[in-house]
Amino acid sequence: SGEEQSPCLFQFHKDGFLVLEQFFSAEECDSMRSQIQRIVAEMEVPPHCRTAFSTREEEQLQAQGSSDYFLTSGDKIRFFFEKGVLDEKGNFLVPKEKSVSKIGHALHAYDPVFKQITHSPKVQELGRKLGLERPVVVQSMYIFKQPGIGGEVTPHQDATFLHTEPLGRIVGFWIALEDATQENGCLWFIPGSHTNGISRRMVRAASGASTCVEFVGSEPAYDDKQFIPLPISKGGLVLIHGEVVHKSELNSSESSRHAFTFHVMEAKGTTWSKENWLQPTPELPFPSLYT
């Protein structure tokens, strides 16, 4: 369209990301944090995390259990744990609220607090500023980045996991629920890296394969010096282009780095890959961002 782009949108298209400080209020952040506390308090450890390791075959069954648990999480609220927080019987070695790595992938659909945030008027307005005509929400996640054990997220592009034809139809909304700093694992980006397509795809494996997903292609070796850190204060929003290369480091600090993130797809003229791990279901077709 011939409309003038606002300077910030120009920046988004140039860099592949955009920082909007204080997009959400402290109260909105706190409401998400207290809601997640309630969800974790009621959490049952999934059965596949409770099987004691013994034979190779059981390990494979467990891996299959966890893969099914992941693959069918698109329309549910499910729990994923940090490494080393459960013993072989599935009992917690650390307090359970400190054991969770993330919760996904349908908070936006089934939890009233996260649904309200995802569809809040200012998010819808931002979607319109981005020129999204038929945006739908494909997934959401609450990420804990636990103190001391919050693992690194290696360099990746979101479109590796959420593939569309054509590319360029996915945008991530990443909300800092606490200050994100270089010490506690803020996001790092390679500016302008969203213009070269993608190098790797995660696809559903053929049924009967030993793994549920596999990677096609490979992640190139990125130059560490190209990444710039994006510290952001509580309530800030980072917009993430589906093809921009980003990562986060291990959280070696004493403080957590909670974030709520969701991904939106421009559905107009777009095909969602049938090979993506995440698929809309009859129970949960991808809901429209606009209400």
Side-chain angles (χ1 to χ4, degrees):
S1 62
E3 300 155 40
E4 269 305 284
Q5 262 196 3
S6 67
C8 73
L9 287 190
F10 171 77
Q11 200 68 37
F12 175 67
H13 291 296
K14 177 172 163 286
D15 290 336
F17 59 86
L18 180 66
V19 174
L20 300 169
E21 285 282 8
Q22 298 182 321
F23 192 84
F24 288 98
S25 68
E27 293 72 36
E28 287 171 312
C29 293
D30 294 342
S31 74
M32 287 187 264
R33 290 199 60 189
S34 49
Q35 185 69 351
I36 217 75
Q37 274 181 321
R38 284 194 284 275
I39 290 172
V40 169
E42 292 167 13
M43 160 182 87
E44 290 289 327
V45 178
H48 72 82
C49 296
R50 289 193 176 278
T51 50
F53 292 115
S54 44
T55 65
R56 286 286 307 274
E57 197 176 319
E58 278 173 29
E59 276 187 44
Q60 286 171 338
L61 285 173
Q62 173 167 23
Q64 191 54 50
S66 57
S67 65
D68 290 340
Y69 185 78
F70 168 72
L71 274 187
T72 56
S73 67
D75 61 351
K76 298 178 190 68
I77 295 175
R78 287 197 164 163
F79 304 94
F80 302 91
F81 298 92
E82 291 290 359
K83 289 190 184 74
V85 299
L86 295 163
D87 68 14
E88 67 279 3
K89 295 192 173 65
N91 300 314
F92 289 110
L93 298 167
V94 299
K96 71 176 183 176
E97 64 279 1
K98 292 200 159 52
S99 67
V100 189
S101 158
K102 57 188 189 187
I103 297 179
H105 289 89
L107 286 162
H108 63 281
Y110 294 127
D111 181 88
V113 172
F114 292 99
K115 186 175 193 171
Q116 190 177 358
I117 292 286
T118 303
H119 298 280
S120 57
K122 50 195 165 191
V123 169
Q124 298 194 37
E125 185 191 351
L126 183 54
R128 294 198 165 87
K129 277 191 187 147
L130 287 166
L132 300 174
E133 292 185 54
R134 285 211 289 124
V136 296
V137 185
V138 298
Q139 69 149 5
S140 57
M141 273 191 303
Y142 192 105
I143 304 169
F144 292 81
K145 201 75 158 177
Q146 302 281 5
I149 58 169
E152 66 171 335
V153 177
T154 54
H156 68 283
Q157 299 165 291
D158 292 342
T160 284
F161 307 96
L162 310 172
H163 191 268
T164 60
E165 303 275 337
L167 284 171
R169 298 304 172 88
I170 293 284
V171 61
F173 291 68
W174 191 98
I175 306 157
L177 305 183
E178 305 179 271
D179 294 352
T181 64
Q182 285 193 48
E183 291 68 45
N184 74 1
C186 70
L187 298 173
W188 294 67
F189 287 84
I190 301 181
S193 56
H194 59 303
T195 55
N196 310 324
I198 59 169
S199 55
R200 191 171 69 129
R201 285 184 58 185
M202 184 172 97
V203 299
R204 284 184 171 234
S207 61
S210 59
T211 56
C212 61
V213 291
E214 54 198 10
F215 286 99
V216 180
S218 57
E219 205 65 76
Y222 296 109
D223 176 2
D224 265 352
K225 292 191 277 301
Q226 290 188 291
F227 284 92
I228 64 159
L230 241 62
I232 186 167
S233 303
K234 173 178 178 172
L237 171 72
V238 186
L239 277 182
I240 305 175
H241 187 287
E243 280 92 80
V244 74
V245 177
H246 58 291
K247 66 173 183 176
S248 68
E249 303 290 341
L250 175 84
N251 180 1
S252 52
S253 80
E254 304 285 295
S255 52
S256 55
R257 190 224 66 189
H258 289 202
F260 176 57
T261 170
F262 58 91
H263 284 88
V264 165
M265 171 179 74
E266 168 62 270
K268 186 180 181 194
T270 309
T271 310
W272 179 257
S273 171
K274 287 267 184 283
E275 293 184 306
N276 286 340
W277 75 266
L278 174 79
Q279 293 295 327
T281 62
E283 296 74 41
L284 184 63
F286 295 150
S288 170
L289 180 68
Y290 301 149
T291 52

